[in-house]
Amino acid sequence: MIDFGISISKQQLLQKKFERFNIKESDITEKFVHSSGHGGQNLNKVATCVYLKHIPTSIEIKCQKYRTQLLNRYAARKMLADMIESKILGEKSERVKEIEKIRRQKRKRSKRAKEKMLDNKKINSEKKQNRKRPEYL
């Protein structure tokens, strides 16, 4: 595995994911291109954007998240592993689970659930009011 200049634990996690889904470095085509957007002189001089293509699955990833090529290489491989995971596992993948969790959190509560929550809030506020010391005149 390539040394990406990141912590060893992160590198090992990526390595395990590659092994788990049988992703080989030899199956990956890697190209470096100039990034687009804001960044000025650094973008114009250095090809920091990383393009990966996994030949067996024909998944393409383009990553220009960070200013350094090395970190973008790591991020692109991580994204590739996540994409392959979601393709293989489908509903069971971690990424899909995270998205579903966020969707559930943002979903509007039913009228009954909202009333129940507000009742609990009211009960708690009454408890707190009863804990206060009485004011003497």
Side-chain angles (χ1 to χ4, degrees):
M1 195 88 194
I2 305 158
D3 181 29
F4 296 109
I6 55 169
S7 67
I8 296 167
S9 59
K10 283 184 180 180
Q11 247 172 297
Q12 287 173 344
L13 284 172
L14 183 64
Q15 181 71 35
K16 285 178 186 174
K17 209 168 208 180
F18 266 50
E19 289 169 4
R20 195 164 123 211
F21 297 109
N22 200 24
I23 305 168
K24 298 178 190 116
E25 282 290 331
S26 58
D27 293 341
I28 298 172
T29 306
E30 186 175 41
K31 293 180 186 175
F32 305 104
V33 289
H34 287 282
S35 298
S36 61
H38 302 292
Q41 200 171 19
N42 188 55
L43 288 183
N44 299 331
K45 287 164 72 175
V46 186
T48 54
C49 184
V50 177
Y51 167 84
L52 294 181
K53 182 174 182 178
H54 188 244
I55 297 162
T57 58
S58 69
I59 293 176
E60 296 177 356
I61 299 288
K62 194 174 184 183
C63 181
Q64 57 182 27
K65 222 179 205 180
Y66 303 103
R67 289 183 69 182
T68 62
Q69 190 183 82
L70 209 54
L71 284 176
N72 282 330
R73 289 178 80 188
Y74 167 75
R77 279 171 174 72
K78 195 170 187 304
M79 288 165 60
L80 179 72
D82 290 342
M83 292 283 281
I84 291 171
E85 177 187 17
S86 62
K87 192 172 186 177
I88 291 171
L89 298 179
E91 292 289 318
K92 296 177 183 176
S93 75
E94 290 176 31
R95 188 163 168 245
V96 172
K97 285 180 184 176
E98 279 181 34
I99 291 168
E100 277 302 312
K101 183 181 178 186
I102 291 168
R103 193 172 287 145
R104 280 194 307 272
Q105 287 172 344
K106 288 184 177 181
R107 192 182 318 151
K108 192 176 178 183
R109 287 191 174 100
S110 68
K111 205 171 194 178
R112 188 173 171 207
K114 201 171 190 179
E115 286 172 5
K116 190 177 177 183
M117 180 202 57
L118 289 173
D119 287 340
N120 284 336
K121 276 188 165 185
K122 198 173 192 179
I123 291 167
N124 281 340
S125 71
E126 287 172 4
K127 279 184 198 174
K128 286 186 175 186
Q129 286 295 324
N130 291 335
R131 285 184 203 145
K132 283 185 177 179
R133 287 185 179 180
E135 292 182 30
Y136 296 105
L137 297 173

